[in-house]
Amino acid sequence: MFLPTDIVVVTGANGHLASHIVDQLLAFPDGPRVRGTVRSQESRDTISEYYGGKEVGSRLEVFCVPDMLGEGAFDEVVEGATHIAHVASPLVIGRVTDVAKELLDPAILGTTGIFKAAHKTRSIRAVVITSSFGAAFDPAAGWRPSYTYTSVRPLDGSSNLTLLSRFNLD
């Protein structure tokens, strides 16, 4: 259970899953404060307008983090927070031309960035990382109803060990 003094960071607050997480957190009458992150001022304005008419008071702050890959991108947002729900991940509608640049780098470096920010503050008590079907789905193979999807083979065809060494995560 959350205390009114808790601060939960929810990345990608304008996304489908993250917006539901924000709603659920704000539904607690004496729940935590929420810091949502988005990548554009337009998204920030949309969320602020949506919650402006609701009785959330000062419990919601929306931060614009345009470049999740930048060094220290999440430092200000995470400072003093108690919990993190890292939900943000790249979503490309249409054809992906460079898997590493458009999907892998933002997903992996965004996640390591939030972990680095969490490591800098002593107030973090819990971190939750989510994923999506997009992390396992291979559009080149199409829909495979009987296929068991796993994280064993990254989309770029490399092994997980190659991927980890590429991002210095081993």
Side-chain angles (χ1 to χ4, degrees):
M1 190 53 113
F2 294 104
L3 301 172
T5 55
D6 288 341
I7 300 172
V8 181
V9 173
V10 180
T11 63
N14 58 322
H16 180 74
L17 179 60
S19 64
H20 287 281
I21 293 169
V22 170
D23 277 341
Q24 292 298 311
L25 290 168
L26 293 174
F28 291 111
D30 293 319
R33 291 185 291 161
V34 178
R35 290 183 186 161
T37 71
V38 295
R39 296 197 312 180
S40 72
Q41 185 63 40
E42 180 182 355
S43 294
R44 182 181 187 275
D45 293 344
T46 299
I47 291 176
S48 297
E49 182 180 313
Y50 175 78
Y51 286 103
K54 299 182 185 252
E55 293 186 28
V56 297
S58 60
R59 289 181 46 213
L60 176 65
E61 294 178 88
V62 184
F63 287 75
C64 187
V65 181
D67 180 14
M68 295 190 320
L69 309 185
E71 187 66 34
F74 292 106
D75 289 358
E76 179 184 357
V77 179
V78 169
E79 183 63 38
T82 54
H83 302 78
I84 297 171
H86 180 54
V87 188
S89 197
L91 173 65
V92 177
I93 306 295
R95 183 167 168 74
V96 174
T97 56
D98 185 336
V99 171
K101 183 179 178 183
E102 296 174 56
L103 298 173
L104 296 176
D105 291 352
I108 294 169
L109 296 175
T111 301
T112 56
I114 198 83
F115 273 123
K116 287 177 183 177
H119 185 69
K120 292 177 187 176
T121 183
R122 298 286 181 210
S123 58
I124 297 296
R125 296 195 309 258
V127 177
V128 174
I129 306 293
T130 65
S131 189
S132 72
F133 182 65
F137 178 67
D138 183 355
W143 296 105
R144 300 178 282 174
S146 62
Y147 182 78
T148 301
Y149 290 90
T150 69
S151 62
V152 174
R153 188 185 67 76
L155 291 178
D156 69 355
S158 67
S159 73
N160 283 335
L161 293 177
T162 301
L163 190 61
L164 290 174
S165 65
R166 183 169 144 217
F167 290 99
N168 297 317
L169 299 175
D170 49 341

